[in-house]
Amino acid sequence: MAKNFSRWAILNAKDQPICQYVGITACNLAEAAQVLTEPLEGGQLAAYNKVQAPDSVSLALAISGDPSIQTQALDDLRTLKQAIGSESLCKLVTPYFVIENLALETISQARSITQNATSLVVELGFISIRTVQTGTAQVSWSPRNPTSAEEVNFGKVQPKTLAARLSEEL
């Protein structure tokens, strides 16, 4: 079945809305990378590979004015923020692009009398999770027996005291 991406949505791992919201009022996507540099002698600069930073997404969700719906939506969002594992990842669907593997990091809410204090706008901060494949190897470690090494006597030896020399002669 083809998915309909003509509308904006923020979905959980089961492709359901993350909470009961009226709509997405704002969306900001930040993509960044960093070139690693290191100073050298003589005022020179060495630049290394470019490293991609995780994408961050900020969303503003409008939630209904009903206090029970607001309470339930905030509880759902807090539960999602505390969750770990692949079941806690979200998906942002827009008519222009889809971003998957988003983890909820921040929840911020504001109410003001100038913007109708009974309505709730929640700002959510997400960060994209990238998975990488790393190699593993089994390392065998076998310590050597310290008594199997040959004795080494190099360097200066402290002179024996008079008492020690006399006790050896007896």
Side-chain angles (χ1 to χ4, degrees):
M1 178 170 121
K3 302 265 186 198
N4 180 6
F5 295 131
S6 62
R7 298 184 52 182
W8 290 72
I10 182 73
L11 307 174
N12 62 19
K14 299 174 184 170
D15 284 339
Q16 298 298 317
I18 60 172
C19 67
Q20 187 174 347
Y21 61 90
V22 176
I24 297 174
T25 61
C27 174
N28 297 313
L29 173 62
E31 300 176 19
Q34 181 179 10
V35 176
L36 304 175
T37 59
E38 182 176 324
L40 299 175
E41 292 181 13
Q44 299 294 317
L45 187 69
Y48 298 96
N49 293 336
K50 188 186 315 184
V51 178
Q52 295 293 328
D55 298 339
S56 64
V57 177
S58 298
L59 289 179
L61 294 182
I63 299 177
S64 168
D66 184 355
S68 63
I69 293 175
Q70 291 178 0
T71 302
Q72 183 61 46
L74 288 172
D75 288 344
D76 292 344
L77 292 172
R78 287 185 186 112
T79 301
L80 182 62
K81 187 172 83 56
Q82 296 297 326
I84 57 173
S86 62
E87 291 298 313
S88 67
L89 298 179
C90 302
K91 178 191 318 183
L92 174 64
V93 178
T94 75
Y96 315 103
F97 54 84
V98 175
I99 302 175
E100 298 193 39
N101 298 329
L102 294 173
L104 180 59
E105 282 192 316
T106 60
I107 302 171
S108 173
Q109 56 179 308
R111 298 174 192 255
S112 70
I113 198 158
T114 59
Q115 295 179 331
N116 189 3
T118 59
S119 64
L120 176 61
V121 175
V122 179
E123 293 182 12
L124 305 176
F126 293 90
I127 191 162
S128 66
I129 303 296
R130 293 188 180 145
T131 57
V132 295
Q133 190 74 21
T134 59
T136 59
Q138 187 70 21
V139 177
S140 60
W141 181 68
S142 59
R144 295 182 181 210
N145 186 353
T147 59
S148 65
E150 295 179 13
E151 187 174 331
V152 179
N153 288 325
F154 292 115
K156 294 183 178 181
V157 177
Q158 294 287 337
K160 294 183 181 178
T161 62
L162 180 60
R165 282 187 276 167
L166 290 176
S167 66
E168 284 180 0
E169 291 178 6
L170 293 177

